[in-house]
Amino acid sequence: MARTVPRARRALALALVASLGGCTRKDAGRFVVGFSQMESDNPWRIAQTASLKSEAQKRGVELVVTDAQGQTAKQVSDVEDLIARRVNIILLAPREFEGLAPALQAAKQASIPVILVDREAAGTPGEDYVTFLGSNFIEQGRRAADWLAKATNGKANIVELSGTPGASVAADRAKGFREGIAKYPGMKVIASQTGNFTRAQGEKVMQNLAQSLGPQITAVYAHNDEMALGAIQALKSAGRKPGQDVTIVSVDGQRAALEAIQAGELGATVESNPRFGPLAFETIEKYRAKQQIPPKILLTDRLFEKSNAAQFVGEAY
């Protein structure tokens, strides 16, 4: 029995070495970036991840990607796993504004900087995270409202299909849109329900609203293209004519949306570019060089409508 104790200890030591194997890369001179993606079930998220992977490969940087599968609790766990692997820096696409504090705190305690991409999270830039990279979501909502007001001559009964409850982007796009239509007394939101940023749920919600509200609906504002495309299908199934008796505006700028604009079914979409790769890695390099990083770095978004959809459809994701 006396000989089994040392063997057991050696086995435990080997297990510890194996478990810590991923933790040595930081000390070995290999720069590793972790990316906590919130989900990968729609074209926008897939394009975002692909952009980061492509840019990392170009720069010879190792990128470790996790997928929270639309669950905030799993995203916190994913960030903790990236910390355990001792990545050098973390790119975080927060699923919700609240709820990521434990992840940010864990990274802070481990002295691993975090950069927020495309969605914001509760915290203070420069303290809880380095910076936020993304669009001005309030402005996106305002631009959608302005376009819709012009397209409907300032008179519309609007159904709003909102994004994930608790997400900063959903709150901001709703706020901006309401600020935009406030200038037009004839524009009213007659129903607002979440489609959770998915085509299937957008279609289901629109089916129910088309049945209950019928011809009262003259416009739809969707927080993203996927929900707008689902709404188009639901309205057609209900005997309505998207682009004729219902005017639809959304946000994102994906290829299927630009094709729907060309087909006359979607009125317009405000761009929300998913290709964060170049900006994210440029920001990382500036941080490594100890340059001053602003609390927010905003992208410039375009508006796609009938006049220019054909011009940009080829480069859309």
Side-chain angles (χ1 to χ4, degrees):
M1 293 294 294
R3 295 177 60 187
T4 62
V5 176
R7 287 176 181 172
R9 286 176 179 169
R10 281 198 298 271
L12 179 60
L14 287 170
L16 287 170
V17 169
S19 68
L20 293 172
C23 299
T24 61
R25 290 175 299 177
K26 186 174 181 180
D27 299 328
R30 178 76 167 160
F31 191 81
V32 183
V33 175
F35 174 45
S36 173
Q37 178 61 282
M38 55 163 286
E39 61 192 13
S40 301
D41 62 351
N42 63 73
W44 199 96
R45 292 285 156 194
I46 293 169
Q48 181 187 47
T49 301
S51 176
L52 289 167
K53 286 182 176 179
S54 175
E55 192 66 21
Q57 186 176 21
K58 288 178 184 176
R59 294 171 180 260
V61 175
E62 183 177 350
L63 181 69
V64 179
V65 180
T66 61
D67 181 359
Q69 300 172 3
Q71 303 170 50
T72 302
K74 185 178 185 306
Q75 187 162 43
V76 172
S77 178
D78 287 347
V79 172
E80 291 171 346
D81 287 344
L82 292 172
I83 293 168
R85 297 181 70 160
R86 295 186 68 194
V87 298
N88 296 83
I89 196 164
I90 294 173
L91 299 171
L92 171 64
R95 182 177 184 273
E96 297 180 10
F97 184 78
E98 304 287 349
L100 273 299
L104 293 173
Q105 183 61 31
K108 187 176 182 179
Q109 290 177 345
S111 298
I112 298 176
V114 175
I115 293 174
L116 304 183
V117 291
D118 86 69
R119 289 190 184 182
E120 296 185 80
T124 303
E127 295 181 16
D128 301 298
Y129 56 89
V130 176
T131 186
F132 163 73
L133 312 179
S135 295
N136 185 329
F137 303 127
I138 293 176
E139 184 60 23
Q140 288 176 343
R142 289 195 193 111
R143 293 180 75 182
D146 288 341
W147 182 90
L148 188 60
K150 292 175 183 176
T152 61
N153 294 316
K155 296 180 180 179
N157 289 330
I158 307 159
V159 165
E160 178 185 43
L161 298 178
S162 61
T164 305
S168 65
V169 59
D172 286 352
R173 285 177 182 167
K175 179 181 179 181
F177 185 78
R178 278 162 178 73
E179 290 177 354
I181 66 171
K183 299 176 288 185
Y184 305 93
M187 300 188 71
K188 300 176 182 178
V189 176
I190 60 173
S192 179
Q193 292 188 25
T194 179
N196 217 23
F197 282 131
T198 71
R199 190 180 304 199
Q201 289 191 44
E203 181 175 356
K204 183 177 180 181
V205 169
M206 197 68 242
Q207 283 175 343
N208 295 334
L209 291 172
Q211 185 175 12
S212 62
L213 297 175
Q216 293 181 58
I217 303 169
T218 62
V220 174
Y221 166 50
H223 285 196
N224 79 338
D225 290 341
E226 283 293 289
M227 292 189 294
L229 294 167
I232 288 170
Q233 185 57 49
L235 288 166
K236 290 165 70 175
S237 298
R240 304 298 302 276
K241 296 179 180 179
Q244 296 182 39
D245 56 12
V246 182
T247 305
I248 304 171
V249 64
S250 64
V251 183
D252 269 355
Q254 70 181 62
R255 180 171 298 171
L258 269 62
E259 290 172 346
I261 292 173
Q262 290 180 287
E265 295 178 336
L266 179 64
T269 180
V270 181
E271 183 182 36
S272 193
N273 196 330
R275 298 185 176 98
F276 278 85
L279 178 61
F281 282 93
E282 285 169 12
T283 305
I284 288 172
E285 289 305 313
K286 289 179 180 178
Y287 181 82
R288 294 180 70 186
K290 302 187 184 304
Q291 296 182 28
Q292 187 172 1
I293 307 295
K296 284 188 179 183
I297 302 174
L298 298 179
L299 301 172
T300 301
D301 296 319
R302 298 168 291 187
L303 176 74
F304 303 118
E305 55 184 347
K306 192 73 172 178
S307 64
N308 66 352
Q311 178 183 350
F312 295 106
V313 68
E315 66 182 58
Y317 62 94

